[in-house]
Amino acid sequence: MLAKEIRDFLVASVSRTGGHLGPNLGVVELTIAIHRVFDSPAEHVVFDTGHQAYVHKLLTGRQDFSELRQRGGVSGYPSRAESDHDVVENSHASTALSWADGIAKANQLRGLGDRSVVAVIGDGALTGGMAWEALNNIADGQDRSLVIVVNDNGRSYAPTIGGLAHHLDALRTTPSYERVLGWGKRTLHRTGVPGRVAYDALHGMKKGLKDVIAPQGLFEGLGIKYIGPVDGHDIDAMETALSRAKSFGGPVIVHAITEKGRGYTPAETDVADRFHAVGVIHPETGLPVAPSRFGWTSVFAGEIVEIGRRRSDVVALTAAMLAPVGLAPFAEEFPDRVFDVGIAEQHAVTSAAGMAYAGLHPVVALYATFLNRGFDQVLMDVALHRAGVTFVLDRAGLTGDDGASHNGMWDIAMLRTVPGLRLAAPRDEATLRAELREAVAVEDAPTVLRYPKGALPQALPAVGRQGSVDVLARHGGVPRVLVVGVGVMAHTAVEVGAALDAQGIGSTVVDPRWALPVSDDLLVLARQHDLVVTIEDGLATNGVGSALRDALAAAGTDVPVRSHGVPQAFLDHASRAQLVEQFHLRGQDIAREAASAVAGLAASAEVRSVERPAG
């Protein structure tokens, strides 16, 4: 059976590489049915979110998963570079319905109205407001063929929360009524004409019964035809429902009930997230091949609980990622002080502003890439109102294997434009704990704490402090280069200082701790050196290096600044180490460039000395 072959392949393959296993095990039959009913790529299939597209990849000819999410291998999300069958590469949730609406409108205007557009959206993504903006507009196009498949497994990363989740829970009870009607049809039709009349009367009550028990009017009230719930693991039932939806010729919602992790016992019994995403595992047991090292997220998880014990006004918010961002221990100890708003980052930020106004100190924990979605709210609802809200950005900088949309490299450049905002970047466990405590102590402005994905580096203690700036190393009698390492890149900065020292070039290596705004203490240090070198894992353009250069210029100081960071581009999936090497962010690369710059400065000074007139 095809479905079993696909599941066996997914377990065997993803267990070797890591990836999004649970979501794809849950959409096997659903995806097979879609490809049997619709003619992809002529009829576009848009996935929201793209982590449930592995089966789609297999059915469209991409069957080498040996390097899944690795450089040169298959992406973990849809990719136009891989196939004409892929439409949307952005793996941020709640966008597929807007994409599908736009494609359907274009098809109609181009005379291709006979083509259907299919949007596959997980129930978790329906907690995002953008999905409902799209539904409002989709309903206005009754002559556009657009099929919305709601993949309802009761989960996004973890169990789906909120009013919509309760609504879908009610809809899931409907199959019992379908079974009653099925029994009635079989039984009553055997009794001839009287039985058929009785069945018709019973069938006429069907909608009323459904509306009482399962208020699908939420969708039909918008003017969108509703089919379901359908067993998403019954290929025949799914094909029938999708064929009916396609033939309708207008917007239709097909509500499919699926089970995340279906067919793989370790995933089915995983309470936390049904193996939403896994590393390399033993396929027989689902256990990790190597235990995870203690990471940044774990430190935050422990420290925010300690803060919560001392301060009853501290509350936490997240967007459908309670466990991934480290808030599960806080929720366990303080269940009334945690708010998971679903995949609704904009709402989370503005709700936090309201909480701050009413006397609380909210901590909003997100992946760095997802704060992009709430930028307007950070600017206009938090910063404008000088709200004391702390943002904790996990997976900041280069995350690598999840590709362009998940690299958390935009945050510093984006947030630098926000008046009054303060941003800290810890370099190790001790500075994460200290800077989080400092952040939640600020009550009149937004504060941000950002740190990368993965395991903690070795502790990097300061050898001194100049004002607010940590001094990490001093080399040579006359320091010529100030090396500024932002966050985890402070470790690279130390390597640069040591490499320069080996070449006889003196340096001071520092960690600004609070990277934005640029502190006066850092400006004083910069003036004492001939060259400033900054290293960060965010955008080089408009990042911390740019901010320091601008601040020096504004102060009338002409010390040159060499900024090293990530280029302003969308990055293909690769490991963090590969990207660091590609962008010349290794210590040896930066030291080589800095030594060359120092030599250039010396040569220029010598020329100026020769050209200066005597007397």
Side-chain angles (χ1 to χ4, degrees), residues 268-567:
E268 292 177 341
T269 56
D270 179 51
V271 176
D273 64 4
R274 300 287 178 87
F275 279 29
H276 176 82
V278 298
V280 179
I281 60 174
H282 293 287
E284 299 83 5
T285 63
L287 295 175
V289 169
S292 298
R293 291 172 57 195
F294 192 65
W296 295 92
T297 307
S298 299
V299 176
F300 164 70
E303 188 62 31
I304 192 63
V305 169
E306 291 298 322
I307 291 170
R309 288 169 181 163
R310 293 194 299 270
R311 287 184 50 179
S312 61
D313 63 320
V314 169
V315 296
L317 296 90
T318 190
M321 302 189 72
L322 193 73
V325 297
L327 285 178
F330 191 92
E332 184 175 349
E333 184 153 346
F334 310 109
D336 295 335
R337 290 161 58 187
V338 152
F339 303 91
D340 185 343
V341 302
I343 303 177
E345 291 84 0
Q346 293 171 293
H347 169 68
V349 175
T350 301
S351 180
M355 291 178 178
Y357 173 75
L360 301 177
H361 190 103
V363 176
V364 181
L366 305 167
Y367 283 2
T369 183
F370 296 140
L371 186 66
N372 301 0
R373 308 176 63 137
F375 173 73
D376 180 69
Q377 288 68 33
V378 172
L379 182 67
M380 293 299 176
D381 293 322
V382 177
L384 176 63
H385 295 88
R386 299 179 182 177
V389 177
T390 296
F391 297 92
V392 174
L393 305 185
D394 200 324
R395 304 197 180 197
L398 295 171
T399 56
D401 48 18
D402 276 333
S405 64
H406 269 49
N407 282 301
M409 58 195 239
W410 315 99
D411 57 325
I412 295 176
M414 177 177 69
L415 295 172
R416 184 189 160 194
T417 64
V418 178
L421 181 141
R422 309 176 201 182
L423 182 144
R427 64 181 182 269
D428 57 14
E429 177 178 351
T431 53
L432 192 161
R433 293 183 186 278
E435 289 164 22
L436 179 60
R437 292 192 295 270
E438 293 168 24
V440 297
V442 176
E443 300 295 350
D444 60 352
T447 53
V448 178
L449 189 73
R450 68 170 326 253
Y451 48 79
K453 175 182 180 180
L456 282 164
Q458 293 295 318
L460 185 55
V463 299
R465 174 73 73 90
Q466 182 152 333
S468 61
V469 177
D470 275 353
V471 179
L472 304 180
R474 294 186 178 94
H475 297 285
V478 181
R480 301 199 60 190
V481 182
L482 178 67
V483 186
V484 181
V486 179
V488 72
M489 302 307 286
H491 296 263
T492 304
V494 170
E495 295 175 14
V496 172
L500 291 174
D501 183 49
Q503 300 178 63
I505 301 172
S507 67
T508 307
V509 181
V510 300
D511 169 11
R513 301 184 75 253
W514 286 87
L516 296 177
V518 174
S519 70
D520 291 340
D521 300 315
L522 189 58
L523 293 179
V524 169
L525 276 166
R527 292 189 190 103
Q528 297 169 0
H529 295 76
D530 300 322
L531 174 70
V532 177
V533 173
T534 64
I535 312 168
E536 54 196 301
D537 61 353
L539 293 183
T541 303
N542 209 38
V544 174
S546 294
L548 177 54
R549 184 183 298 109
D550 292 347
L552 286 168
T557 302
D558 60 357
V559 177
V561 178
R562 299 295 182 99
S563 302
H564 297 268
V566 181

Side-chain angles (χ1 to χ4, degrees), residues 603-614:
S604 297
E606 185 176 336
V607 169
R608 287 195 299 271
S609 177
V610 170
E611 292 178 345
R612 188 177 298 120

Side-chain angles (χ1 to χ4, degrees), residues 16-52:
R16 289 193 295 268
T17 61
H20 289 94
L21 182 56
N24 288 284
L25 293 173
V27 297
V28 174
E29 293 85 1
L30 183 155
T31 309
I32 291 171
I34 287 173
H35 278 283
R36 286 181 177 175
V37 172
F38 299 94
D39 181 24
S40 176
E43 294 183 299
H44 298 293
V45 182
V46 185
F47 284 89
D48 186 341
T49 59
H51 63 235
Q52 58 182 330

Side-chain angles (χ1 to χ4, degrees), residues 180-192 195-196 199:
V180 169
L181 290 169
W183 169 85
K185 181 177 182 179
R186 291 190 302 274
T187 304
L188 296 174
H189 274 211
R190 294 194 197 107
T191 64
R196 286 194 291 274
Y199 170 76

